[in-house]
Amino acid sequence: MAQIFVSHSAKDKELVAFLSKAFASTPVKAIFEEFEAILKGPANAQRIVQDIRQSNAVFVLLGKYVEGTEAHA
């Protein structure tokens, strides 16, 4: 099964719901990780690295919410 790692803002709920629904009708496994959790915790760095290595693609969603985070400033 193919796997896609998706990094997104916690505020992008509609976009995540859309992608989840789109992936649900395919054999693709989507791994979602909130951008804010990566920056401030409680994200587990080792798990994220493993998820990315096991993925066939990495999507980084850079919308208006990510632009407003401290790391972007």
Side-chain angles (χ1 to χ4, degrees):
M1 174 187 308
Q3 178 172 298
I4 296 176
F5 181 89
V6 182
S7 175
H8 63 91
S9 171
K11 296 177 183 177
D12 282 328
K13 295 181 188 318
E14 289 180 21
L15 185 53
V16 170
F18 172 79
L19 289 174
S20 293
K21 187 175 179 180
F23 290 138
S25 62
T26 72
V28 173
K29 177 182 177 183
I31 304 292
F32 292 93
E33 188 68 54
E34 293 178 355
F35 183 72
E36 294 86 350
I38 293 171
L39 294 176
K40 298 179 183 177
N44 179 309
Q46 290 177 334
R47 179 185 45 79
I48 291 171
V49 169
Q50 180 180 7
D51 286 341
I52 290 172
R53 284 185 178 154
Q54 292 175 348
S55 294
N56 301 87
V58 175
F59 293 175
V60 180
L61 308 179
L62 299 174
K64 62 183 177 182
Y65 297 115
V66 171
E67 291 177 0
T69 62
E70 292 177 24
H72 185 270

